[in-house]
Amino acid sequence: MLSKKQARAFFLGGTLVTFLIFIGLTVYSLSKSQDQAHSENITEQVVRGKMLWESNNCMGCHTILGEGAYYAPELTKVVERRGEGYVKSVLMSPVPWAPHGRKMVAYGFSEDEAKDLIAFFKWIGNIDLNGFDRVVSPLAKEK
Amino acid sequence: MKYKSQKVAYWFFALSMLLLVLQLTYGFIMGFARIGMDGLHEFIPFNTARAVHTNLLVVWLLSGFMGAAYYIIPEESQNELVSVKLAYTQLITLAIVGVAAIVGYHLNYWEGRKFLEIPRPLDFLVVVNVLTFLGLILLTLFKGKRKTTTALVLSMGLLFAALLYLPGMITFDSQVYDSFFRWWVVHLWVEGVWELIMGGILSFLLIKLTGVDREVIEKWLYVIVGLTFLSGILGTGHHYYYIGVNKIWLIVGGIFSSLEPLAFLGMALFAVNMYRKGEKKHPNTLALYWTLGSAIMSFVGAGLLGFAHTIPQTNIYTHGTLVTAMHGHLAFWGAYAMIVLAIISYSLPNLTGRKLFNSTSGRLAFWLSNIGILGMTVAFGVAGVVQVYLERKMKMDFMEVQNEIQIHFVVLIICATLFTIGILYYVADFIKHGTPTDEALETRNN
């Protein structure tokens, strides 16, 4: 029968081993050779777009890379799906955009801000998502 | 209660109750918005309501965990808290940081990262607050007469929870990296170290309520938290399937997160078996209801429903849909909300001296809230499956699908009302107990 000492060794040993493997896999999957996100394309404009994305908590309604609040559409392939003009109109709208009656906050972004966000969406749209990009966006092109 | 300083716990529990009621209010705002009744949009848009709803959940649970620690650690270590004044200061600052964050969310002041919306300056205050709490708990523990496994596991959980907050404070230019390390906080909290906290509280309650030998309970506690980490750490991989990192996570995450239900199954079997084995019939049956209920519901919500969409082949369709909300609601309820309500139910009569065991309102609170949340889970589940099918299989537009599934949110609101009535009964019982008093001090025989 298992003793308390053996149970403790199982807890400490198992935790240590899996934690070390986890760190190893993290280092491996974030290494340059394994980059699937085309990190070299992250320009200052993309970073500004990401900051706007965060400071307005867009993830509080939308999803991106499948993460968010499921209240508004997934934006991973939004530029490819809707086109730049449409996305820009939504972002710059002075009144709440409300397709099918569900309202978006009227952010009224400036043209430059809208361009920054679009650059961010374009960078997101080119990430290799291990096949999810085909499922998540009905109109995204088959790869 | 056995130690005067345990009274601090009551006020942390009171803060939990207040924030829980507020959390439910914001849940209703979101529910109504989903069926087109969004009259508050201008003042409380959906993203504000959601940030408040989820952050209040985290804060009321943390406040509950802290209260549990302030109650359990003195009793386990047989020592008064090292500083009651500091503990009250910590409570007040926790409440201030929480309120400031929530007000900020209404003024578009946040970080916009799911679950970690608290703006950076407030993050630092959280760190100071948690360090104060940890200092108090650890000093009390190490100055105490004994160091039990239950107290050590609980403290270890709280310490790791604090350490794991830090990766969430690193700034990245890449959304992929940002997401990757955000899960170090969120996943390793809820599917890792919080389970240590849950295990510690569960073990304390089982020792008190069943009378089973401490050595037996604590041995199995080690096995269960061992299983939790064995599966949960590498199980983080299920968040990495489709966010733009290496495919290796599909294999690692798939295998290890499939093992995650084992820890919850272990927890449920452990609690039920200890109850059966126990010869002691503790009069506080309500605390026993919540304790066993937590172990069982966490297996259903976190274990089974998590397993339902953790395999990469399924997750490719369910990732980013309401299926996640289905799992999330029952998992948080079973594993964390119920264990906090269990420790409150156990400690409240001891703190206040009012032995209001087995009240009808207490039983109604238990059954209504549990039936309500099960109904909510089904409503989210059906909405989620329909969403997956229409949006991802039939390729329908997002908003067209949302209109199709609106009816399930009507069902959700009805079940949420039932749930809320249950919670209000619980809060009313909490208030009925009154405040803690020195007259409730028991004679110590240790």
Side-chain angles (χ1 to χ4, degrees):
Chain A
M1 189 61 182
L2 187 78
S3 70
K4 191 172 172 184
K5 211 173 158 189
Q6 287 168 325
R8 186 171 51 214
F10 165 72
F11 162 57
L12 294 174
T15 304
L16 187 69
V17 170
T18 46
F19 184 69
L20 289 176
I21 297 173
F22 182 61
I23 296 291
L25 284 172
T26 297
V27 172
Y28 168 73
S29 64
L30 297 185
S31 63
K32 227 175 175 179
S33 61
Q34 301 302 318
D35 183 20
Q36 298 184 185
H38 305 286
S39 300
E40 71 279 3
N41 295 338
I42 302 177
T43 59
E44 280 180 22
Q45 199 178 23
V46 171
V47 175
R48 283 200 302 272
K50 179 175 178 279
M51 282 167 72
L52 283 169
W53 169 264
E54 284 173 1
S55 60
N56 291 292
N57 192 17
C58 306
M59 213 187 225
C61 292
H62 291 277
T63 46
I64 200 157
L65 307 177
E67 295 179 342
Y70 336 117
Y71 184 71
E74 166 70 50
L75 297 179
T76 295
K77 289 267 177 187
V78 68
V79 180
E80 199 177 322
R81 198 166 69 239
R82 294 288 193 186
E84 228 171 294
Y86 178 94
V87 177
K88 213 164 155 186
S89 314
V90 176
L91 292 169
M92 294 174 68
S93 170
V95 290
W97 194 265
H100 299 269
R102 188 170 282 183
K103 289 187 199 115
M104 174 172 160
V105 174
Y107 287 107
F109 289 116
S110 69
E111 177 138 14
D112 283 344
E113 286 173 327
K115 279 181 182 166
D116 292 344
L117 271 163
I118 287 168
F120 172 64
F121 292 141
K122 279 183 174 170
W123 171 72
I124 289 276
N126 283 321
I127 299 174
D128 174 359
L129 296 178
N130 297 335
F132 179 63
D133 27 353
R134 286 200 301 275
V135 172
V136 77
S137 184
L139 297 179
K141 287 172 196 146
E142 287 288 319
K143 276 188 180 169
Chain B
M1 69 188 155
K2 292 182 177 166
Y3 295 86
K4 258 189 184 181
S5 53
Q6 284 177 296
K7 284 192 295 182
V8 179
Y10 174 89
W11 299 104
F12 279 85
F13 294 150
L15 178 65
S16 281
M17 293 291 98
L18 180 71
L19 299 183
L20 166 61
V21 172
L22 212 55
Q23 189 211 351
L24 300 189
T25 312
Y26 280 80
F28 275 106
I29 295 174
M30 293 158 77
F32 280 111
R34 282 193 178 271
I35 58 168
M37 296 168 77
D38 60 349
L40 290 172
H41 173 81
E42 217 174 297
F43 318 101
I44 311 174
F46 189 87
N47 58 351
T48 299
R50 190 180 194 280
V52 174
H53 183 70
T54 53
N55 280 255
L56 279 174
L57 168 72
V58 174
V59 181
W60 88 253
L61 289 178
L62 282 179
S63 181
F65 291 161
M66 287 170 176
Y70 283 131
Y71 186 85
I72 293 172
I73 297 296
E75 206 163 306
E76 285 288 292
S77 64
Q78 298 176 345
N79 187 25
E80 291 283 3
L81 263 184
V82 288
S83 169
V84 173
K85 263 189 195 167
L86 255 182
Y88 280 119
T89 314
Q90 190 247 319
L91 169 71
I92 294 164
T93 49
L94 177 75
I96 292 172
V97 172
V99 171
I102 288 160
V103 172
Y105 297 164
H106 290 78
L107 304 170
N108 206 25
Y109 180 53
W110 41 24
E111 270 192 14
R113 298 156 71 228
K114 197 176 170 182
F115 299 117
L116 303 180
E117 286 90 349
I118 291 185
R120 197 50 51 95
L122 290 182
D123 270 342
F124 291 108
L125 290 179
V126 173
V127 172
V128 174
N129 188 278
V130 174
L131 284 178
T132 313
F133 162 74
L134 279 173
L136 285 171
I137 289 298
L138 295 177
L139 267 178
T140 307
L141 181 63
F142 289 109
K143 279 189 170 177
K145 291 186 191 123
R146 60 173 192 180
K147 291 161 193 67
T148 64
T149 302
T150 300
L152 284 174
V153 168
L154 177 62
S155 307
M156 207 189 285
L158 293 162
L159 177 68
F160 286 159
L163 286 177
L164 279 169
Y165 192 66
L166 303 178
M169 290 172 68
I170 310 169
T171 311
F172 295 103
D173 286 344
S174 164
Q175 181 70 23
V176 175
Y177 280 38
D178 210 299
S179 194
F180 193 94
F181 287 103
R182 195 165 46 79
W183 288 117
W184 274 42
V185 188
V186 181
H187 174 93
L188 291 175
W189 262 13
V190 299
E191 285 161 78
V193 297
W194 279 24
E195 283 183 55
L196 247 66
I197 301 171
M198 181 202 176
I201 301 174
L202 188 67
S203 161
F204 175 81
L205 286 167
L206 288 173
I207 291 169
K208 298 289 171 186
L209 295 170
T210 67
V212 173
D213 184 47
R214 173 185 289 278
E215 284 299 298
V216 178
I217 289 186
E218 291 183 338
K219 177 177 79 179
W220 288 110
L221 176 65
Y222 270 137
V223 175
I224 286 158
V225 292
L227 277 174
T228 299
F229 276 167
L230 200 67
S231 56
I233 294 176
L234 289 169
T236 315
H238 66 216
H239 295 288
Y240 298 159
Y241 295 159
Y242 307 116
I243 63 162
V245 286
N246 199 280
K247 273 189 177 140
I248 195 154
W249 293 108
L250 298 177
I251 302 163
V252 176
I255 293 171
F256 284 88
S257 65
S258 302
L259 297 175
E260 279 186 47
L262 280 183
F264 287 103
L265 178 65
M267 197 97 78
L269 290 176
F270 163 64
V272 173
N273 275 329
M274 292 305 131
Y275 164 65
R276 283 189 173 165
K277 214 172 170 179
E279 286 162 6
K280 186 168 154 187
K281 286 274 172 270
H282 197 283
N284 193 344
T285 47
L286 274 177
L288 194 66
Y289 271 36
W290 285 106
T291 306
L292 295 181
S294 170
I296 293 165
M297 291 294 259
S298 64
F299 169 61
V300 180
L304 283 183
L305 294 182
F307 181 74
H309 71 135
T310 202
I311 303 289
Q313 289 83 345
T314 315
N315 193 261
I316 196 166
Y317 292 104
T318 58
H319 179 51
T321 68
L322 289 158
V323 171
T324 312
M326 162 200 73
H327 156 59
H329 278 78
L330 200 64
F332 269 103
W333 170 250
Y336 303 121
M338 283 184 82
I339 200 72
V340 168
L341 300 182
I343 186 73
I344 295 177
S345 292
Y346 171 75
S347 60
L348 209 52
N350 302 342
L351 289 164
T352 61
R354 292 192 170 187
K355 312 282 182 194
L356 302 177
F357 308 137
N358 307 322
S359 62
T360 310
S361 54
R363 275 200 292 273
L364 273 174
F366 178 84
W367 289 111
L368 287 179
S369 57
N370 274 293
I371 293 167
I373 195 98
L374 280 171
M376 287 169 67
T377 307
V378 173
F380 268 125
V382 176
V385 171
V386 174
Q387 183 191 7
V388 167
Y389 192 76
L390 295 183
E391 202 180 302
R392 304 221 163 143
K393 281 283 189 190
M394 306 297 288
K395 313 284 184 198
M396 273 171 72
D397 181 71
F398 177 88
M399 268 317 298
E400 281 174 28
V401 176
Q402 290 295 306
N403 286 338
E404 291 294 328
I405 62 176
Q406 242 184 40
I407 184 66
H408 302 298
F409 285 93
V410 176
V411 177
L412 180 86
I413 290 170
I414 294 168
C415 297
T417 307
L418 204 62
F419 174 75
T420 305
I421 295 170
I423 295 298
L424 291 178
Y425 267 120
Y426 190 96
V427 176
D429 246 20
F430 184 91
I431 295 168
K432 253 191 256 166
H433 273 87
T435 49
T437 162
D438 287 346
E439 287 168 28
L441 264 177
E442 290 168 32
T443 339
R444 294 198 296 263
N445 49 1
N446 43 56

